[in-house]
Amino acid sequence: MKQQIIFIFIISLLLGGCGDFLEPKSKSEFVPKDATSLDELLLGEAYLRYTQGTLNVFLHLLDDDVTSAPYQETNVGTDANAWWAPYTWQSNIYEVMETAGQTASGINIYKAYYSVILGTNAILDYIVDIKDDINMLNKVKAQAFALRGFAYFNLVNIFGAPYNSNKTALGVPLKLNSGIEESELKRNTVEEVYSQILNDLLEAERLYQSLPADQQWLPNRKVSLPMVQLLLSRVYLYMEQWEKAATYANNVILNENFRLLDLNTVKTQSDEAPYDPTYIDYHSYTNSTEVIWVYGNMSDVTKFVYNVSAGKEQRPFFKASEELMESFDETPGDLRKERYIIRSSYEIINKNNETEKMPQAFGKLNTSSSRYSQPASGNGIFSRSFRLSEAYLNFCEAKAMLNKSGDANAGTEALRMLNKLRTYRFPAGYQEKNISNPDELIVFIQNERRRELCFEDHRWFDLRRWGMKQIKHTWYPDATSTIVYTLLENDSGFTLPLPPDALELNNLLEQNPLAPSPRDGSLTSN
């Protein structure tokens, strides 16, 4: 079994190519001798590190929280089709983006997640032969199962149909060991992938619960028991198993390591620049009491939405949509509108004919102190996190759905948690919501989820599971024209196509149903 590790990269050819993600850096084979060595290998090959890109790299361009900024020319040598393709849901998205200058590996989300999976498989195969402290071994195995479950959760929600829409549809191939397959792998169904996700996460939970309490979570960037429980609440929410979703969310809420961050304590102005808001990194254990686990590369979030234009102003091609900005309560003043949405130094005229600094299509990120609107990357800076507020929202949504099915007490519980969360998001004197109609409560919680979790890789998945309603995106091909592209209700574009190289390297993979390409847009003149 240990000899398999040097050949794991070959397996990637069966799944679409993962390069040399586990190929030895020298002729000698690395053979882990103990749990510590395995833990180090896990960190290097399976974690979603701040240096590892291509995870959901263009996913945020698909949803309705983003829209085009006013027209501007691109830099010389830059092709706007690189972000036009995902923004307009083109079925030949990869071909267009590559033609526009993007590398195939730089946009291959499928490949990136399978690299994580292959790393976890290697650990789980190796560990059966390791003799070491049982707690150390269980800790390593728990991390591997948690990371594999998370990777498959993302894959199936990007490349498979929503579970509540068609769980018998094709999902993604399940690869659960590091050995070389005798034949290429077919796609498992969405239901089969979800079943494996639950198996992995429940085993991770069991292993974490076997550890001493002080080893079940540490602010050390590693997955943990509360991370696993929050992900379980998310998975059960997507599966519409409301009781389990609420139970796991409540387990996280009751965890004494975390508490909601009062946004009243986050400054919005600095003495040096009194008219400019300041921002904190909400994906940081130091800055936020809500952070459970951090992951992801900064460029994945900002690559296509920050400073890609020509000229001195370097203004982005995209901004936060009007619908998102208008969803924040003006009275008594939702603090998230200024704390969560990073503003550009570029000024625009909004639809009320007012001048404002443009709200950008990203937020909650670490920003440069020298220029408040500029994302800052570097050692230990992550672009995403698991936060306590999601547990509140998962609990609220699950209870609201139980309320709709006739459980009146569930509606009371949903309102209680909803108001508790919102108390930390508004100035003192917040007036609690009292919504008695079950359908109105569900809609309000969905909108609250949009406000709280904006630009954190939730919105696209939520739109899919909430019925795949129609989305319109406006594009400016030149200074005088406007094109509106429409993703129709239940459109096949709500599920991304598999990358071409995955299909070329695995003959058993079936492509998803594709929409007409390129999509037609309605052209008007300004």
Side-chain angles (χ1 to χ4, degrees):
M1 184 173 297
K2 291 179 180 179
Q3 301 302 318
Q4 295 171 343
I5 193 76
I6 62 174
F7 300 114
I8 291 176
F9 71 98
I10 299 175
I11 306 165
S12 65
L13 298 179
L14 305 177
L15 296 170
C18 290
D20 62 352
F21 88 100
L22 272 182
E23 191 174 4
K25 300 300 185 287
S26 66
K27 296 291 184 180
S28 61
E29 179 187 357
F30 170 65
V31 180
K33 300 297 184 183
D34 53 29
T36 300
S37 299
L38 281 175
D39 194 45
E40 291 173 355
L41 182 62
L42 187 72
L43 285 171
E45 304 297 349
Y47 263 89
L48 290 66
R49 304 178 303 278
Y50 68 91
T51 56
Q52 179 180 353
T54 323
L55 297 169
N56 301 1
V57 63
F58 54 78
L59 205 68
H60 51 290
L61 290 180
L62 305 174
D63 63 42
D64 57 356
D65 281 349
V66 61
T67 191
S68 287
Y71 174 77
Q72 66 258 229
E73 295 180 359
T74 59
N75 285 321
V76 175
T78 300
D79 189 341
N81 282 329
W83 46 93
W84 168 83
Y87 180 68
T88 58
W89 312 288
Q90 299 302 309
S91 59
N92 60 342
I93 178 174
Y94 307 104
E95 295 88 340
V96 174
M97 294 181 79
E98 287 182 46
T99 300
Q102 300 299 308
T103 63
S105 60
I107 57 175
N108 196 331
I109 301 172
Y110 183 89
K111 172 182 174 181
Y113 278 114
Y114 271 111
S115 293
V116 172
I117 290 167
L118 291 173
T120 62
N121 288 344
I123 298 300
L124 292 172
D125 282 350
Y126 253 123
I127 205 165
V128 297
D129 295 327
I130 299 293
K131 305 298 181 184
D132 206 333
D133 176 73
I134 186 63
N135 284 344
M136 282 292 296
L137 292 172
N138 284 346
K139 188 185 299 183
V140 172
K141 287 192 290 185
Q143 292 175 77
F145 281 119
L147 290 165
R148 190 170 73 179
F150 183 55
Y152 272 123
F153 176 80
N154 281 277
L155 280 169
V156 77
N157 278 288
I158 296 171
F159 299 106
Y163 183 93
N164 61 353
S165 170
N166 184 6
K167 61 187 178 182
T168 63
L170 292 178
V172 293
L174 285 173
K175 173 65 179 170
L176 304 176
N177 60 70
S178 62
I180 300 174
E181 300 292 341
E182 294 183 359
S183 63
E184 296 169 321
L185 298 177
K186 293 182 179 180
R187 296 174 67 179
N188 292 80
T189 66
V190 170
E191 184 175 31
E192 289 170 338
V193 178
Y194 264 82
S195 178
Q196 183 59 48
I197 293 166
L198 288 178
N199 288 343
D200 281 352
L201 296 181
L202 290 171
E203 178 63 6
E205 181 189 37
R206 184 190 71 80
L207 290 166
Y208 275 122
Q209 289 176 334
S210 73
L211 302 176
D214 62 356
Q215 296 183 35
Q216 293 175 359
W217 178 83
L218 290 169
N220 60 1
R221 306 174 188 172
K222 294 185 177 181
V223 293
S224 61
L225 177 60
M227 175 272 181
V228 169
Q229 291 176 330
L230 181 53
L231 184 52
L232 277 166
S233 79
R234 191 188 302 180
V235 174
Y236 282 126
L237 195 72
Y238 283 33
M239 297 175 72
E240 299 187 348
Q241 295 189 26
W242 310 122
E243 289 283 6
K244 290 182 178 179
T247 296
Y248 274 103
N250 197 49
N251 287 341
V252 179
I253 292 169
L254 295 176
N255 192 308
E256 294 182 353
N257 288 300
F258 317 107
R259 64 183 188 279
L260 291 171
L261 175 65
D262 186 352
L263 294 190
N264 288 282
T265 66
V266 179
K267 296 180 180 179
T268 57
Q269 293 182 334
S270 66
D271 294 335
E272 294 76 17
Y275 300 105
D276 293 337
T278 56
Y279 301 100
I280 69 167
D281 181 2
Y282 292 90
H283 306 304
S284 162
Y285 298 112
T286 302
N287 291 340
S288 176
T289 56
E290 298 182 10
V291 173
I292 297 168
W293 178 54
V294 293
Y295 69 98
N297 183 280
M298 188 70 73
S299 66
D300 283 350
V301 175
T302 62
K303 182 174 183 178
F304 297 113
V305 296
Y306 179 74
N307 286 358
V308 290
S309 64
K312 295 180 180 179
E313 297 190 57
Q314 288 287 291
R315 43 199 171 110
F317 260 74
F318 297 100
K319 64 177 182 177
S321 69
E322 287 82 1
E323 292 81 5
L324 171 62
M325 299 305 291
E326 291 171 358
S327 73
F328 295 100
D329 294 341
E330 294 294 339
T331 305
D334 193 328
L335 299 174
R336 292 171 293 193
K337 186 174 184 179
E338 295 301 328
R339 270 78 164 172
Y340 283 1
I341 311 296
I342 294 175
R343 296 274 180 166
S344 170
S345 56
Y346 170 59
E347 292 185 338
I348 60 171
I349 305 297
N350 63 28
K351 72 175 189 177
N352 296 323
N353 203 32
E354 301 168 334
T355 301
E356 67 172 352
K357 295 191 174 182
M358 190 172 75
Q360 303 204 87
F362 56 87
K364 308 187 186 78
L365 302 179
N366 186 76
T367 54
S368 170
S369 58
S370 60
R371 185 180 181 188
Y372 69 84
S373 61
Q374 180 176 348
S377 58
N379 185 29
I381 297 176
F382 294 81
S383 63
R384 281 153 285 184
S385 66
F386 277 43
R387 297 191 298 123
L388 177 62
S389 57
E390 185 198 344
Y392 277 80
L393 292 164
N394 292 355
F395 181 92
C396 290
E397 183 178 343
K399 288 294 184 178
M401 296 305 297
L402 291 169
N403 178 46
K404 185 176 180 179
S405 66
D407 186 345
N409 185 59
T412 302
E413 292 182 273
L415 273 172
R416 176 176 60 84
M417 285 296 192
L418 175 67
N419 282 311
K420 182 177 179 181
L421 171 63
R422 285 170 61 83
T423 298
Y424 289 84
R425 304 303 188 241
F426 285 83
Y430 165 73
Q431 297 296 311
E432 292 191 347
K433 289 290 180 180
N434 185 14
I435 305 171
S436 58
N437 182 284
D439 289 322
E440 290 180 8
L441 179 59
I442 291 169
V443 170
F444 190 90
I445 290 170
Q446 289 178 346
N447 290 333
E448 190 70 12
R449 189 176 179 90
R450 180 184 196 178
R451 292 184 283 265
E452 178 63 31
L453 301 178
C454 59
F455 306 125
E456 293 188 69
D457 288 351
H458 289 278
R459 183 64 177 172
W460 178 245
F461 292 167
D462 284 344
L463 290 172
R464 282 165 37 92
R465 68 186 179 89
W466 289 338
M468 297 181 281
K469 301 300 183 184
Q470 177 178 285
I471 305 174
K472 289 182 179 291
H473 276 175
T474 300
W475 179 256
Y476 300 103
D478 53 53
T480 61
S481 304
T482 300
I483 302 179
V484 177
Y485 293 87
T486 303
L487 186 66
L488 299 174
E489 185 172 356
N490 294 314
D491 195 293
S492 58
F494 276 99
T495 299
L496 292 188
L498 298 176
D501 62 345
L503 297 167
E504 292 170 4
L505 293 167
N506 183 351
N507 293 320
L508 294 184
L509 286 183
E510 296 181 45
Q511 182 59 283
N512 288 321
L514 301 179
S517 183
R519 286 183 178 278
D520 295 327
S522 56
L523 177 65
T524 60
S525 298
N526 294 334

